[in-house]
Amino acid sequence: MRALEYSFRQGAASLWRSRGSSAFAVLAIALALVVLGVLLMLTSNAEQLLSRWTSAAEFSVYLADTTTSEQRGAIESAIDQSGVSAGREYVSKAQALTRFRQEFAELANLAEGFEDNPFPASIEVRVGQGAERDGRVDALVKQVVQLPGVVDVRYDRDWLARVGTALDTVRAAGFALALLMGLAAAVTVATVVRLGLLARHDEIEIMELVGAPLAYIRGPFVAEGFLQGGIGAVLAIAFLWLSQALANAWWGTELRALFDGEALRFLPVRLSAVLILGGMLVGSTGGLAAAWRAGSDPR
């Protein structure tokens, strides 16, 4: 405990003495964490949106204009007997046209140019929870699409899966970039701490001569890197919070439209803690790398 207290006291003093060069290390860590934080914030909001879409997944069965009432009854019977449906709704051609005009008011004039209603009638089916996990939905879709009177079947899960895959790709690319920036930040911390180590060369030699433990020799430099990482992480969190607040204030309408009526949310507490711990780890790693030979050959 005494070694820990001594390390942080000396590390803080060294950080203050070299505050000019330490600012570059803090800034490097903050920039790396801002990149990672922006990625996590956007993917976290996108995952919440995807989760809401997934829980409300449905598929639409589009009917031909020539579909008879008997054929429609057979289609609805197949849906009801599958055990997949949590509810269904028949949408006539007229209702489909009305929906289009209401939801896409700026494009409503396009529908006026047709002599006949171009929108097909459909049966919209809400998928029950857990039904997609055992493959029953896929089996029903394959069955329904072959029934007489069916023109096409659109299943939300297909494009939701593609969106999820794209999200994973973006996350992986972002993590790779953040990792590179984190490595650069660790090198910067190591360089700054190394300068402090060289400045204390005579002091370290004296500590070696009197037999000081390695924890007292190397500890302050690790603590200095730890503090640099912690300060950089806190600055990154503050910047992300301010950016999120400004984004909601300036582009709130656009963001709500993008995220299905929800404002852009800040990082969950768990992810914020991970960012702070990550910054401290990067700083500590850089400090340890710089002080690794301290106590044996500081040069």
Side-chain angles (χ1 to χ4, degrees), residues 188-226:
T188 304
V189 171
T191 302
V192 171
V193 173
R194 183 70 176 172
L195 292 175
L197 187 150
L198 294 175
R200 297 177 58 192
H201 170 249
D202 294 339
E203 178 184 342
I204 292 175
E205 280 193 339
I206 294 173
M207 294 179 70
E208 290 177 22
L209 290 174
V210 300
L214 286 178
Y216 282 82
I217 298 176
R218 298 175 180 173
F221 303 106
V222 177
E224 182 181 353
F226 180 90

Side-chain angles (χ1 to χ4, degrees), residues 15 33 49 56-57 61 82 103 106 119 130-131 138 146 151 160 190 200 228 250 289 299:
L15 184 64
L33 294 179
L49 177 61
V61 181
S82 67
E103 296 178 6
E106 66 279 5
F119 296 94
D138 291 331
Q146 298 176 355
V151 175
L160 286 176
R200 297 177 58 192
Q228 289 175 352
W250 291 345
R299 296 187 184 277

